[in-house]
Amino acid sequence: MRQLLLMLGAVLGLLLSGGPVRAESQYRLLVIAMPSKYHYEYVPVAREGLQRMARQHAFDMEWAGSPQVLEGDLGGYAAILLLNTPVEDLNPAQRAGFEAYVNGGGNVMIVHRAAIALPANSWPWYERLVGRTVGVHPMLQTAAVTVADRGFPAVWGLPERWLWSDEYYVTTNPYGVRITPVLNVDETSYDPTKIWPGQVAKPMGREHPVAWYHRPGKSRVFVTTLGHDVEAYRDPHYLEQLMGGIWWTATGLGEAR
């Protein structure tokens, strides 16, 4: 009884002193969110949402607005999240630091614009990491996104057919990377050829993944090509998708089979 009273007194003293009472952090996540020409409004909204998730789910999140962090020690991060990061802006030292992190077993989550490796700044290693090469994309449209792998944590909170508006990237697989699709987009629910004058977009057919995962070497990689509009980062379903991807990427836990 005396020990219990002492413990209660200590907790009460901490509360009265205004000191924080929080769960111990489970892992560290590095988020790199670099603004680009078409992706900049999302930054403050996404940051607020991810910070809220970090508090709710007891993990540490560090936010970086430039790639210079990749030149430092990355060994303490369970995962790196590239959030709309234009990877063509990474210099050779930053690319080398990122490659060393992944080749050493580091884990990566890639969101929307970060899936694109522009031909002018060719980086075949990164295209293999993504698992697909992004070409053109039709205009932003509303479509039916469908669940391809109900056992993956990123889709647990999603309906079987999810009404969503986004840029549905057209991808190819020039390096023969094997991925596991998590979400597909139903091409019968939008016009996959609707694109700007002077460009051509062709349908991909029944198999059109918009989110997937794979395990290159000792690493885990989750990719979602959804997330163009700033309003996505206020949407509960979209944020649930991100949280499920973060959890699996950082810990390897949660797959239901």
Side-chain angles (χ1 to χ4, degrees):
M1 181 61 71
R2 184 172 179 273
Q3 288 180 336
L4 179 59
L5 290 173
L6 288 172
M7 185 181 301
L8 290 173
V11 172
L12 181 60
L14 185 60
L15 290 173
L16 291 175
S17 69
V21 178
R22 57 172 296 178
E24 184 178 352
S25 174
Q26 299 181 83
Y27 51 84
R28 291 173 67 203
L29 174 72
L30 173 62
V31 179
I32 303 177
M34 297 164 53
S36 62
K37 181 178 180 180
Y38 299 108
H39 302 90
Y40 55 89
E41 292 181 326
Y42 79 97
V43 171
V45 178
R47 184 171 187 172
E48 181 182 356
L50 287 169
Q51 286 174 334
R52 185 170 60 252
M53 287 194 292
R55 292 191 298 268
Q56 179 182 358
H57 295 286
F59 63 90
D60 286 336
M61 185 193 79
E62 296 182 28
W63 187 276
S66 80
Q68 290 182 340
V69 65
L70 295 174
E71 299 179 41
D73 182 8
L74 304 173
Y77 298 110
I80 295 176
L81 168 54
L82 300 180
L83 188 62
N84 279 325
T85 297
V87 296
E88 66 272 12
D89 290 346
L90 273 60
N91 65 32
Q94 292 155 3
R95 291 188 180 195
F98 185 61
E99 289 189 19
Y101 170 78
V102 174
N103 293 337
N107 308 298
V108 181
M109 183 165 158
I110 296 166
V111 176
H112 192 60
R113 174 62 175 82
I116 299 176
L118 294 179
N121 293 272
S122 179
W123 193 5
W125 177 91
Y126 185 77
E127 291 183 67
R128 293 187 182 95
L129 183 74
V130 174
R132 290 294 181 267
T133 296
V134 178
V136 298
H137 64 76
M139 294 179 179
L140 187 146
Q141 297 176 65
T142 302
V145 172
T146 62
V147 174
D149 185 352
R150 178 52 72 184
F152 193 77
V155 303
W156 288 353
L158 302 183
E160 289 297 325
R161 290 179 69 83
W162 178 25
L163 188 66
W164 189 248
S165 300
D166 220 309
E167 296 175 332
Y168 296 108
Y169 289 169
V170 176
T171 61
T172 57
N173 187 18
Y175 301 106
V177 178
R178 184 175 179 179
I179 62 169
T180 301
V182 172
L183 293 170
N184 287 315
V185 62
D186 182 351
E187 289 190 345
T188 68
S189 65
Y190 73 106
D191 183 357
T193 67
K194 187 178 180 180
I195 199 167
W196 298 267
Q199 298 185 34
V200 177
K202 296 181 180 180
M204 290 180 62
R206 292 188 61 184
E207 301 298 325
H208 187 154
V210 293
W212 58 85
Y213 69 95
H214 69 124
R215 294 181 177 85
K218 297 180 179 179
S219 301
R220 293 181 296 273
V221 176
F222 173 65
V223 180
T224 177
T225 63
L226 306 179
H228 173 75
D229 195 87
V230 63
E231 294 302 322
Y233 301 91
R234 295 187 175 99
D235 184 88
H237 280 328
Y238 184 79
L239 293 177
E240 287 174 1
Q241 182 209 192
L242 291 187
M243 183 59 226
I246 290 169
W247 181 41
W248 176 83
T249 305
T251 70
L253 301 174
E255 287 181 69
R257 292 287 179 253

